[in-house]
Amino acid sequence: MQHDVRGLELTTVSAAATRHIDQAVSDFLNYLTTASAEVKSALAEDPDFVLALCFRGYFLMMLENRAVLPKVHETLDRMKPHLDAVTPRERLHARALEAWATGDLASACLAWEELLTEAPRDLLALKLHHTMTFYTGRSHVLRAVVSSVLGAWDASVPGYGYVQGMYAYALEENGDYAAAERWGREAFDANPEDLWAIHSVAHVMEMQGRSAEGTKWLDYSQDNWAHKNPFKAHVWWHAALFLLAQGDYERALNLYDNELVSVNSPAYVDVSNQASLLKRLEIAGVDVGDRWDVLAEHAETRIEDHMLPFRDVHFCLALTARGNLDGARRQIGSMRAFAADNRGWTANVTKSTLIPLCEAIIAYESGEYGKACDLLWPMRNELALIGGSHAQRDLFAQILGDTAVRGSKLSIARSLLAERVARRPSSKGTWLKYSSVLDELGESDLAKRAEQNAATAAEAG
Ligand SMILES: [Fe+2]
């Protein structure tokens, strides 16, 4: 038996394997590309080390590609003969991995939650819970679970800054912006390399319409994050969103070309961040040229993936934006078969939310704006299930707004835009759209007032 750097028992006799796992957890939380090599080194020292095998399985799952599932199941099979001899904590890791591999995200999260009641300093379990709960869109669970472990942490425990960064994000997603920023900045002070803490503060600025400040907050060079894993592209995506809000489309496109696509490789294309930015630029009236091509070609190879509803909907966006409506319809057919043949969170959300959302996107990209609006409007407040953050899901609100305007559903457009200006009164573009819709509805006094608000709005986009 060994102990990790936070005092948790590890079922291995190898001190070297333990050091590698400690380093793997630290590198993983720090978004370094070296984390999986550390897991490999731990398994080279002790091939039967169950926690290291779980970590291997987790890394495979984080590739979010159906092609890895056989390897994950092989890893689960490898650890099975040893499960009776390991700690309950390590068994719960194995249970979480198994649930995750079968698309049962809620059960995976529950296994990590149960584990954290006994071992609140298990940073790996906390981070995985944070990440995968994020993909179920249950913000309240994010906050509940991070706050439930806080009592076991303080600055004397290695990795405390990461917990502060997670709490910051959980608070932000629950609308507690002042506390979120405080926790996020403290995490950043503890470790200025902590991308999640940087990201949490960026979220606060995004939600509060502080885009000029956000641009300064994320003023990093590409070299600065050269050693970070592809999550950095998501932080660049936030930087591009700040530019978009300020109407600086050229710099947003430059970020796309120089930073966002820099994480793509023959094996991995970061469709979510890239599709999300391109679609927002298009809604803002920007010609994005042939930038969809790479994404649509990649999405065509992932039509039958169904590893995460959030990822699937971005594949659909890429396919339809490029005009591959047949591909998107085939994807929906595959989603239907997947939802019918499987049980668990991913299958349930595919059926309840993902399929109707993708049908709306197909209608939108086919120019059937009225139909798209009819599909999206009733589900607009239930989209959290698809996963991701408020900022990410705002794209679907923007698409809905666009369908209402283009489909001449003016009362709906007015209502959506009223909601939007209330949430982000700093956005000149939103006030102008609101003014135009009010004008079309014959509400000229209100239209004039909205135009005046546009003239003084702090964000030019
Ligand atoms: Fe984000």
Side-chain angles (χ1 to χ4, degrees):
M1 194 68 78
Q2 297 281 328
H3 291 86
D4 77 3
V5 71
R6 281 166 285 277
L8 298 171
E9 284 184 353
L10 296 172
T11 310
T12 179
V13 292
S14 169
T18 299
R19 279 198 303 277
H20 285 302
I21 280 298
D22 273 335
Q23 194 60 49
V25 173
S26 172
D27 290 0
F28 170 51
L29 271 289
N30 214 4
Y31 294 97
L32 298 177
T33 53
T34 45
S36 59
E38 291 292 340
V39 174
K40 230 181 230 174
S41 300
L43 285 169
E45 298 288 343
D46 178 358
D48 299 332
F49 187 1
V50 165
L51 189 68
L53 286 167
C54 287
F55 213 155
R56 177 181 193 265
Y58 290 149
F59 271 128
L60 288 166
M61 289 304 297
M62 280 184 264
L63 294 171
E64 298 165 357
N65 191 319
R66 180 150 297 273
V68 305
L69 285 180
K71 274 190 188 170
V72 177
H73 288 292
E74 177 200 307
T75 306
L76 282 162
D77 288 344
R78 254 178 77 183
M79 68 179 80
K80 263 175 196 151
H82 310 291
L83 288 180
D84 285 344
V86 303
T87 62
R89 180 177 75 91
E90 289 161 312
R91 268 199 297 279
L92 280 163
H93 270 295
R95 197 206 290 171
L97 175 61
E98 190 158 26
W100 187 2
T102 57
D104 194 354
L105 287 186
S107 294
C109 289
L110 274 177
W112 288 313
E113 285 169 31
E114 186 180 338
L115 183 164
L116 288 164
T117 64
E118 294 293 337
R121 289 185 180 179
D122 188 325
L123 195 52
L124 175 61
L126 186 65
K127 181 67 175 176
L128 289 166
H129 180 276
H130 196 66
T131 305
M132 298 321 293
T133 299
F134 162 86
Y135 280 118
T136 67
R138 295 169 303 150
S139 308
H140 59 294
V141 180
L142 276 183
R143 183 172 60 185
V145 171
V146 184
S147 52
S148 78
V149 305
L150 283 179
W153 287 84
D154 59 41
S156 69
V157 185
Y160 177 53
Y162 297 123
V163 181
Q164 290 176 299
M166 283 187 257
Y167 195 44
Y169 181 75
L171 290 166
E172 178 279 321
E173 283 298 291
N174 284 278
D176 195 348
Y177 299 128
E181 184 162 354
R182 200 168 59 244
W183 281 84
R185 285 183 184 274
E186 276 179 28
F188 175 78
D189 289 344
N191 175 13
E193 285 271 301
D194 182 352
L195 273 192
W196 192 251
I198 292 169
H199 167 258
S200 300
V201 175
H203 262 272
V204 172
M205 292 173 177
E206 174 64 28
M207 298 309 284
Q208 294 185 322
R210 293 157 58 191
S211 54
E213 213 180 324
T215 295
K216 283 185 199 142
W217 177 247
L218 296 182
D219 184 20
Y220 289 89
S221 71
Q222 189 172 31
D223 293 347
N224 201 71
W225 291 342
H227 56 304
K228 297 289 193 182
N229 73 22
F231 175 70
K232 64 188 169 191
H234 178 67
V235 187
W236 291 123
W237 174 85
H238 276 280
L241 245 52
F242 289 136
L243 293 170
L244 208 59
Q246 294 165 79
D248 196 341
Y249 305 130
E250 202 178 318
R251 274 176 75 202
L253 276 173
N254 281 342
L255 267 187
Y256 183 91
D257 293 335
N258 297 321
E259 316 294 358
L260 268 78
V261 301
S262 72
V263 300
N264 290 353
S265 69
Y268 175 81
V269 176
D270 181 12
V271 175
S272 297
N273 291 305
Q274 291 166 36
S276 178
L277 181 56
L278 291 185
K279 187 47 68 188
R280 283 162 201 257
L281 283 160
E282 284 189 338
I283 292 172
V286 178
D287 180 357
V288 302
D290 60 3
R291 289 178 178 85
W292 283 108
D293 290 359
V294 170
L295 303 183
E297 277 162 27
H298 181 75
E300 173 86 38
T301 68
R302 306 289 297 276
I303 278 173
E304 297 185 359
D305 232 47
H306 319 310
M307 294 294 279
L308 275 180
F310 188 75
R311 214 60 75 214
D312 274 6
V313 72
H314 286 86
F315 292 142
C316 178
L317 275 169
L319 288 166
T320 53
R322 189 68 186 78
N324 187 355
L325 300 179
D326 280 350
R329 288 190 190 106
R330 268 186 286 125
Q331 188 197 22
I332 288 189
S334 177
M335 287 172 190
R336 284 212 176 89
F338 171 80
D341 296 345
N342 290 276
R343 295 286 167 270
W345 179 274
T346 308
N348 294 344
V349 171
T350 296
K351 188 177 175 188
S352 71
T353 311
L354 176 63
I355 291 172
L357 178 56
C358 289
E359 281 171 338
I361 289 169
I362 291 175
Y364 173 65
E365 295 290 357
S366 311
E368 297 176 86
Y369 300 118
K371 181 182 171 187
C373 188
D374 289 345
L375 287 165
L376 262 180
W377 166 258
M379 64 187 302
R380 72 195 184 285
N381 290 322
E382 316 303 332
L383 288 176
L385 292 170
I386 207 81
S389 63
H390 293 294
Q392 285 172 310
R393 288 191 301 272
D394 187 57
L395 174 62
F396 308 120
Q398 290 187 35
I399 290 174
L400 172 58
D402 208 30
T403 67
V405 171
R406 294 193 193 207
S408 299
K409 292 186 175 266
L410 295 180
S411 300
I412 288 182
R414 174 180 54 194
S415 148
L416 292 169
L417 287 161
E419 190 185 324
R420 223 170 160 75
V421 293
R423 204 170 59 234
R424 192 160 181 158
S426 51
S427 170
K428 179 178 180 174
T430 312
W431 280 115
L432 286 177
K433 275 186 202 164
Y434 187 37
S435 171
S436 157
V437 166
L438 288 167
D439 210 34
E440 274 194 70
L441 282 163
E443 298 180 43
S444 50
D445 287 350
L446 287 175
K448 254 183 219 136
R449 210 180 300 159
E451 210 177 317
Q452 285 161 3
N453 285 329
T456 55
E459 296 181 291

